[in-house]
Amino acid sequence: MDYDRNKALLLELQRAAGTGNDRCADCGEPGPEWASCKLGIFICLNCSGIHRNLPEISRVKSLRLDFWESNLIEFMRSHGNLWAKAKYEAKVPPYYYIPKSHDCMVLREQWIRAKYERGEFLDTRVCPDPCSAGSREGCLWKLGKVRRQFQKRQFLLSTREGVMKYYSKESRGPKAVISIETLNAMFQVEKIGHNHGLQITYITDGQTRNLFVYHESGKEIVDWFNAIRAARYHYLRITFPNVPEPELIPRITRNFVKEGYMEKTGPKQKEAFKDAFALGQVYLGRRDEGYEVRDDLPQKVCVKKKKPVITLVTPVREFVFICENDRRQKEWMDALNEVITQL
Ligand code: ZN
């Protein structure tokens, strides 16, 4: 009899207003059917799988299938998702990526570990300032261009210098110096063929470049991802001091739906181009914020081949794009002008 009564109490508690229990404590998925009775939180099936691997800090029970003793129900009542959020997410830095249910495993697992196992966001923790959080040095496995094999490369991220660099063993100088302005990172597990696969995208000389990297440690790769986000956040804060925080956060890194837009010599449809910019690899602002599109080259810039060009002027630098022909140039110009006028 206790069995049924307790189950009803528990399900009532899961639905109770103002407790936050009606959504997974870790990924926000509605209607969680599981709980960690050690942490006192309601979680979804997916996240329960991660908690199951952390017996030191968590203990998973099904709301419907397991037996719940009265004292455990009381424990759940006195804790719950809102309580846990206030405790374990007290100091999540603004740039830290909080995964959703559709995000890849490594992001969700590290979020849960960071919160409960390492206590990274507890109120008692001293938050790093975004500048130091956006500086990092270490090795990553990078997919080679020629032999299509992963090779260990030294990476360096510096918020202060506004760049990310990487080095190979053979060369003395950096193999690439990447401006944080156009830097983007997103997890691409299937494409890279590794559960910790990260795609780093940037623009150099008007061309989109990709680096495909991973690290054996889930913590390392997620820390790299958030370090890049911290560096981007710092850059955006300084460059766009008047843009409110909620508008800035989605521009830190993007998971773009369309790919390959600028790797082509010209866009097949101008929509693809518009989306690429609107989605934020290059932050596009309004004309009155200092953005401009021109059909000539900046001073001191020469292009060997005589092809039509577009110069995109941003408050910090100018981007030059080389177009296939005059018609393409006009299409890009129209698309870009439309964006900077509309924003
Ligand atoms: Zn979940």
Side-chain angles (χ1 to χ4, degrees):
M1 45 167 209
D2 258 9
Y3 181 84
D4 285 337
R5 196 177 62 98
N6 282 359
K7 192 139 297 175
L9 281 174
L10 192 64
L11 291 172
E12 206 176 288
L13 191 57
Q14 188 251 49
R15 288 188 291 263
T19 58
N21 296 341
D22 58 342
R23 286 179 174 270
C24 173
D26 296 325
C27 74
E29 183 84 346
E33 297 262 308
W34 298 77
S36 166
C37 62
K38 212 164 173 173
L39 291 163
I41 53 170
F42 293 81
I43 51 177
C44 73
L45 175 66
N46 264 339
C47 294
S48 80
I50 298 169
H51 279 263
R52 228 177 262 283
N53 292 329
L54 308 169
E56 302 278 291
I57 51 154
S58 196
R59 202 179 129 221
V60 173
K61 270 169 98 86
S62 161
L63 300 189
R64 291 175 194 277
L65 308 172
D66 285 318
F67 176 73
W68 286 80
E69 295 88 350
S70 298
N71 62 334
L72 268 189
I73 306 257
E74 266 325 295
F75 180 78
M76 293 302 290
R77 192 190 302 285
S78 60
H79 291 76
N81 290 7
L82 268 193
W83 172 89
K85 194 179 167 73
K87 178 178 179 182
Y88 294 104
E89 299 178 31
K91 282 193 175 171
V92 182
Y95 54 80
Y96 193 94
Y97 184 78
I98 299 178
K100 306 275 187 309
S101 57
H102 57 79
D103 278 307
C104 65
M105 178 70 174
V106 69
L107 272 173
R108 289 185 294 112
E109 184 186 339
Q110 289 305 316
W111 165 234
I112 288 171
R113 284 180 179 269
K115 273 207 283 186
Y116 310 115
E117 194 178 49
R118 301 193 290 268
E120 283 183 22
F121 317 120
L122 292 175
D123 197 27
T124 46
R125 284 288 280 254
V126 181
C127 267
D129 74 282
C131 211
S132 67
S135 296
R136 199 175 170 82
E137 205 177 336
C139 280
L140 291 169
W141 290 95
K142 177 192 158 290
L143 186 65
K145 280 193 189 75
V146 186
R147 273 182 291 165
R148 307 297 292 172
Q149 276 174 345
F150 284 95
Q151 292 152 323
K152 219 170 196 171
R153 295 287 180 250
Q154 182 76 13
F155 280 78
L156 194 125
L157 177 68
S158 166
T159 299
R160 211 164 28 81
E161 290 177 57
V163 293
M164 184 168 183
K165 305 175 195 175
Y166 78 90
Y167 300 81
S168 69
K169 266 182 234 122
E170 305 81 43
S171 63
R172 232 182 287 156
K175 293 279 281 180
V177 180
I178 302 160
S179 161
I180 286 171
E181 186 187 8
T182 68
L183 186 59
N184 189 53
M186 61 181 149
F187 278 93
Q188 287 276 18
V189 168
E190 276 164 39
K191 189 170 167 184
I192 296 172
H194 194 284
N195 286 337
H196 305 160
L198 189 70
Q199 177 172 352
I200 294 170
T201 307
Y202 60 99
I203 299 176
T204 187
D205 303 326
Q207 270 199 313
T208 300
R209 303 278 167 94
N210 291 301
L211 302 176
F212 301 103
V213 299
Y214 74 86
H215 194 283
E216 300 91 330
S217 149
K219 180 181 183 301
E220 274 291 313
I221 200 71
V222 173
D223 283 351
W224 267 106
F225 178 61
N226 280 306
I228 289 172
R229 285 182 57 88
R232 288 273 308 151
Y233 174 76
H234 182 76
Y235 159 78
L236 291 171
R237 272 261 80 112
I238 285 174
T239 316
F240 308 102
N242 300 324
V243 176
E245 185 117 335
E247 281 177 42
L248 220 57
I249 302 292
R251 297 184 189 270
I252 297 181
T253 55
R254 301 307 285 251
N255 248 321
F256 18 89
V257 191
K258 287 196 170 82
E259 261 197 275
Y261 43 89
M262 273 179 295
E263 291 161 66
K264 294 170 192 148
T265 41
K268 287 245 161 53
Q269 312 147 327
K270 62 180 185 176
E271 285 306 309
F273 188 68
K274 258 171 66 180
D275 281 356
F277 274 94
L279 279 173
Q281 193 175 33
V282 174
Y283 179 99
L284 261 193
R286 290 193 307 268
R287 204 180 291 278
D288 60 5
E289 290 174 332
Y291 290 83
E292 197 191 330
V293 183
R294 289 204 308 253
D295 61 359
D296 55 4
L297 287 167
Q299 282 182 341
K300 292 182 210 154
V301 174
C302 288
V303 175
K304 273 183 198 153
K305 287 180 203 158
K306 278 240 155 154
K307 286 213 167 185
V309 295
I310 292 173
T311 301
L312 173 63
V313 184
T314 77
V316 265
R317 58 179 281 196
E318 292 167 326
F319 294 95
V320 177
F321 299 95
I322 297 163
C323 305
E324 188 82 331
N325 52 46
D326 289 347
R327 194 166 61 92
R328 290 266 181 262
Q329 181 198 35
K330 191 177 178 309
E331 282 175 6
W332 291 100
M333 293 273 298
D334 289 349
L336 276 169
N337 272 315
E338 211 175 303
V339 176
I340 62 170
T341 311
Q342 272 174 6
L343 277 172

